Amino acid sequence: MTDIDQLAHQILQQDRRALARGITLVESQRSDHREQSIALIQTLQKHPKRALRIGLSGTPGVGKSTFIEAFGSLLTARGLKVAVLAVDPSSLRSGGSILGDKTRMDRLSRDPMAFIRPSPSQSHLGGVTRRSRDAVALCEAAGFDVVFIETVGVGQSETIVSEMSDIFLLLLAPAGGDELQGVKRGIMEMADIILVNKADGELSTAANRTCADYSSALRLLRKRPQDPSNFPMAMTVSALTLLGLELAWQAVLELTDWRKANGHFAGRRAQQARFWFEEDVKQGALDVLNRQEIKNEIDRLGQQVEAGELSPARAAEQILKHLSRRE
Amino acid sequence: MTDIDQLAHQILQQDRRALARGITLVESQRSDHREQSIALIQTLQKHPKRALRIGLSGTPGVGKSTFIEAFGSLLTARGLKVAVLAVDPSSLRSGGSILGDKTRMDRLSRDPMAFIRPSPSQSHLGGVTRRSRDAVALCEAAGFDVVFIETVGVGQSETIVSEMSDIFLLLLAPAGGDELQGVKRGIMEMADIILVNKADGELSTAANRTCADYSSALRLLRKRPQDPSNFPMAMTVSALTLLGLELAWQAVLELTDWRKANGHFAGRRAQQARFWFEEDVKQGALDVLNRQEIKNEIDRLGQQVEAGELSPARAAEQILKHLSRRE
């Protein structure tokens, strides 16, 4: 039995320390670790999984951590094992993570039924993406019932999280005025359930109005024949008073059961796997451009292009000839 | 003197028929034509150019053709030579073009100072993009003072047109209610001038209100230290009564002069050339995936990935090994 087989075995036995070691392995940027990671994921691939993957997005300040703390605790209290991961584009700049500070989920991080893993800091979004996908697969293999994949709402990362999730939740704050909060149409179209948070105290009225606005907006989006007619839906919640959290969970279950029954749950996972396969192939094909001598050549010709001495197409042709000569 | 040198010479002599032949050449999908196109563009690259490239986007029905007809005629009446090109993602589906019907710009198409060229129908956006860039370069070499690059507003094409333009205009219709028209923030951020069209007759009031709404929205976007403080701006125009068109042109000139004086005009062109160079390199690196035997392999492994037998990363690894063996 190789080390990787043994690690896989321990993860399948729901050994938390093995899980953490596995995640550290898939987060590593060393190329030998990368090969081991692929082998680990491929080994775990064959075992049955049952986790529900829930994507969660929301702009900063909307209360994502407080929501996950409250919602996650509700689930662990029902006997469900909950993992929380993050796809954090901000870690690209800062080297830090939105979830780096576990104390923001103080209760959940001490809950034996929960597992919280901050986002790795990486140099490019592709790295964050691949490592997050692998971490989801590891949590799934380690017997978690629910895996939350959190991201901060900045456009591209929602698409990525949506392609890793079975259900996509969008968390919003009550709007101040009568305008929608500049939520892009594309992101609204990804959402299965919009949760208007902070529906407590003085903000209750605003939350209800915002929820009604989004309900109307959702009705204008194209229908989803595969889902019950009441989806996508908007609901009010309060991570503070726990209002609506139970209902939100019931809605998640209703949608999941429906999609499992009509085959769309499995179909979507198959499509997502295909999507990531093709993304990995494209990324791999582009990796040749990261060789140092190619980078140097791109920089050298790029200066001539910027100076107007060489047309972009002619310069590109020279790089591509260089590539095919080299191989 | 080769045929290409001669064609370049004729285009520089402002020979319209040579320009049309040149555009037909760059639009061709034949690989020998592609090589000739690159040579033609590279030859023309060295000659001084003076065209102002104006990108124009707007949703269907907002009156883009009528606007270009009126605005273009205003410019030709001032002695400026005007070319109109289109980047048309809809031609991908229909094989047709938004500008295919020249009669929609009846007056301008008969104007000896103007040149209108419909969008080529192509099988992929990359093709439309490259051919449009080349056509812009040819019009510039042929001595046009202003080159309009029109696109219908569907997201991706605005980015492309923005990366080919010195000035980006966004044409909008008066809004029915008090909401902004679902214009994505990213597109608003590209716009140098928002023109609210149809500010005539019954729609005047609505147009003024819409213009005020967008003025407010533009103030909330991040500042552009390189531009005068009154930009980006929103104005009302009417392609029907010609209201505001003269002012819009003055605004275009003010912004252009400012950017030329502070170096941002040339800087932006250099950045754009660099952008297209790197895009062409990426596209070329991805072209290996279009070989038939690679496509077949992607399909074969893709089915195993969809069935859950093979992880996306492992399958991608196999494709990439196949690629490096083959070369």
Side-chain angles (χ1 to χ4, degrees):
Chain A
M1 193 182 253
T2 68
D3 287 356
I4 290 301
D5 283 341
Q6 185 165 4
L7 183 58
H9 179 76
Q10 289 167 335
I11 289 172
L12 289 166
Q13 295 302 310
Q14 314 197 357
D15 176 337
R16 288 294 176 90
R17 291 167 72 177
L19 172 62
R21 271 210 318 282
I23 295 184
T24 301
L25 180 70
V26 301
E27 285 178 357
S28 168
Q29 307 203 40
R30 276 173 50 183
S31 62
D32 57 330
H33 286 170
R34 179 67 196 139
E35 281 162 35
Q36 291 172 9
S37 301
I38 293 179
L40 176 62
I41 299 292
Q42 178 63 34
T43 304
L44 295 171
Q45 175 94 6
K46 291 156 195 157
H47 294 270
K49 295 160 282 278
R50 58 175 175 184
L52 178 65
R53 307 174 185 169
I54 302 181
L56 176 75
S57 175
T59 44
V62 71
K64 281 190 298 299
S65 296
T66 319
F67 172 79
I68 292 181
E69 166 106 331
F71 199 54
S73 297
L74 178 116
L75 302 185
T76 59
R78 300 171 71 116
L80 295 169
K81 281 179 284 179
V82 173
V84 181
L85 304 169
V87 171
D88 179 7
S90 75
S91 70
L92 300 178
R93 282 192 303 274
S94 63
S97 166
I98 38 172
L99 280 176
D101 184 8
K102 276 200 191 181
T103 58
R104 293 198 308 152
M105 295 186 205
D106 188 40
R107 189 169 144 213
L108 204 59
S109 64
R110 287 183 284 103
D111 186 332
M113 298 285 281
F115 177 84
I116 301 180
R117 182 81 182 196
S119 177
S121 61
Q122 295 289 342
S123 55
H124 62 296
L125 192 56
V128 171
T129 303
R130 203 184 57 206
R131 286 160 183 86
S132 301
R133 279 160 50 204
D134 288 348
V136 170
L138 293 183
C139 290
E140 205 159 23
F144 284 92
D145 301 291
V146 177
V147 180
F148 285 103
I149 312 152
E150 175 191 340
T151 192
V152 73
V154 294
Q156 204 186 354
S157 65
E158 274 96 345
T159 308
I160 288 166
V161 169
S162 161
E163 286 290 343
M164 296 180 190
S165 306
D166 302 312
I167 301 279
F168 193 78
L169 306 180
L170 179 61
L171 197 66
L172 297 173
D178 55 352
E179 87 290 4
L180 302 185
Q181 296 156 65
V183 176
K184 288 179 190 161
R185 186 185 166 110
I187 291 172
M188 280 195 54
E189 283 180 346
M190 283 177 214
D192 295 308
I193 306 174
I194 288 180
L195 299 169
V196 182
N197 194 18
K198 305 189 182 179
D200 47 55
E202 288 182 357
L203 287 176
S204 288
T205 313
N208 285 325
R209 194 179 52 222
T210 302
C211 181
D213 287 348
Y214 278 99
S215 291
S216 308
L218 286 174
R219 275 193 292 276
L220 298 175
L221 296 180
R222 67 165 175 276
K223 291 287 163 277
R224 301 179 182 176
Q226 75 275 21
D227 286 341
S229 59
N230 51 333
F231 287 91
M233 64 168 63
M235 312 174 67
T236 50
V237 294
S238 164
L240 199 64
T241 68
L242 310 189
L243 171 118
L245 295 187
E246 179 62 37
L247 268 179
W249 177 239
Q250 292 307 323
V252 168
L253 289 181
E254 181 190 349
L255 186 55
T256 306
D257 289 347
W258 184 283
R259 287 182 181 171
K260 282 186 173 168
N262 70 9
H264 273 90
F265 191 90
R268 189 174 150 88
R269 286 218 173 175
Q271 276 172 9
Q272 289 175 342
R274 176 74 184 236
F275 172 85
W276 289 116
F277 162 50
E278 296 189 359
E279 281 300 301
D280 281 0
V281 168
K282 278 184 206 161
Q283 199 50 55
L286 290 174
D287 273 350
V288 292
L289 304 179
N290 290 326
R291 287 188 214 145
Q292 195 55 51
E293 91 269 14
I294 298 292
K295 278 181 159 174
N296 295 345
E297 193 66 4
I298 287 176
D299 267 348
R300 192 178 67 81
L301 294 179
Q303 284 169 23
Q304 296 182 35
V305 168
E306 287 180 26
E309 296 158 9
L310 197 59
S311 74
R314 177 66 94 200
E317 200 184 43
Q318 292 186 22
I319 297 289
L320 297 167
K321 272 185 192 155
H322 193 93
L323 276 180
S324 60
R325 257 205 316 276
R326 177 72 182 44
E327 280 161 346
Chain B
M1 193 182 252
T2 67
D3 287 354
I4 290 302
D5 283 341
Q6 185 166 4
L7 183 58
H9 179 74
Q10 289 168 335
I11 289 171
L12 289 166
Q13 296 301 311
Q14 314 197 357
D15 176 339
R16 288 295 175 87
R17 291 167 73 178
L19 172 61
R21 271 209 318 282
I23 296 184
T24 301
L25 179 69
V26 301
E27 286 178 358
S28 168
Q29 306 203 40
R30 277 173 47 182
S31 61
D32 56 331
H33 286 170
R34 180 66 195 140
E35 281 163 36
Q36 292 172 6
S37 301
I38 293 180
L40 176 63
I41 299 290
Q42 178 63 34
T43 303
L44 295 172
Q45 175 94 7
K46 292 156 193 155
H47 294 270
K49 294 160 282 280
R50 58 174 177 185
L52 178 65
R53 306 174 186 169
I54 302 181
L56 176 75
S57 175
T59 44
V62 71
K64 281 191 298 299
S65 297
T66 319
F67 172 79
I68 292 181
E69 165 107 331
F71 199 55
S73 297
L74 178 115
L75 301 185
T76 59
R78 298 171 71 114
L80 295 169
K81 281 178 284 180
V82 173
V84 182
L85 304 168
V87 172
D88 178 8
S90 74
S91 69
L92 300 180
R93 281 192 302 277
S94 62
S97 167
I98 38 172
L99 280 176
D101 185 8
K102 276 199 189 182
T103 57
R104 292 198 309 150
M105 295 188 206
D106 189 39
R107 188 169 144 212
L108 205 59
S109 64
R110 286 183 285 103
D111 187 332
M113 299 285 282
F115 176 83
I116 301 180
R117 181 82 182 194
S119 178
S121 61
Q122 296 288 342
S123 56
H124 64 296
L125 193 56
V128 172
T129 302
R130 203 184 57 206
R131 287 159 182 87
S132 302
R133 279 159 51 203
D134 288 349
V136 170
L138 293 183
C139 290
E140 205 159 21
F144 283 91
D145 301 291
V146 176
V147 179
F148 284 103
I149 312 152
E150 175 190 340
T151 192
V152 72
V154 293
Q156 202 185 355
S157 66
E158 274 96 345
T159 309
I160 288 166
V161 168
S162 162
E163 287 290 344
M164 295 180 190
S165 306
D166 302 312
I167 301 280
F168 192 78
L169 307 180
L170 179 60
L171 197 67
L172 296 174
D178 56 352
E179 88 291 3
L180 302 186
Q181 296 155 66
V183 176
K184 289 180 188 160
R185 188 187 166 109
I187 291 171
M188 279 194 55
E189 283 180 345
M190 282 176 215
D192 295 308
I193 307 174
I194 288 180
L195 299 169
V196 181
N197 194 20
K198 304 190 181 179
D200 47 54
E202 288 181 357
L203 288 174
S204 287
T205 313
N208 285 325
R209 195 179 52 222
T210 302
C211 181
D213 288 348
Y214 277 100
S215 291
S216 309
L218 286 174
R219 274 193 292 276
L220 299 175
L221 296 179
R222 69 166 174 277
K223 289 288 162 278
R224 300 178 183 177
Q226 75 275 21
D227 286 340
S229 59
N230 51 333
F231 286 90
M233 64 167 65
M235 312 173 69
T236 50
V237 292
S238 165
L240 197 65
T241 68
L242 310 188
L243 172 119
L245 295 187
E246 178 63 38
L247 268 178
W249 177 239
Q250 292 307 322
V252 168
L253 288 180
E254 181 190 347
L255 186 56
T256 306
D257 289 346
W258 184 284
R259 287 182 181 170
K260 281 186 173 169
N262 70 9
H264 273 90
F265 190 90
R268 189 175 150 90
R269 286 219 173 175
Q271 276 172 11
Q272 289 175 343
R274 176 75 184 234
F275 173 85
W276 289 117
F277 162 49
E278 295 190 0
E279 282 299 301
D280 281 1
V281 169
K282 278 184 207 161
Q283 199 50 57
L286 290 174
D287 273 349
V288 292
L289 304 179
N290 289 326
R291 287 189 215 143
Q292 195 54 51
E293 92 269 15
I294 297 293
K295 278 181 160 174
N296 295 346
E297 193 66 5
I298 287 177
D299 267 347
R300 192 179 66 80
L301 294 180
Q303 285 169 23
Q304 296 181 36
V305 168
E306 287 180 26
E309 295 158 12
L310 197 59
S311 76
R314 178 65 95 199
E317 201 183 43
Q318 291 187 22
I319 297 290
L320 297 167
K321 272 184 192 155
H322 193 93
L323 277 179
S324 59
R325 256 205 317 275
R326 177 73 182 46
E327 282 161 344

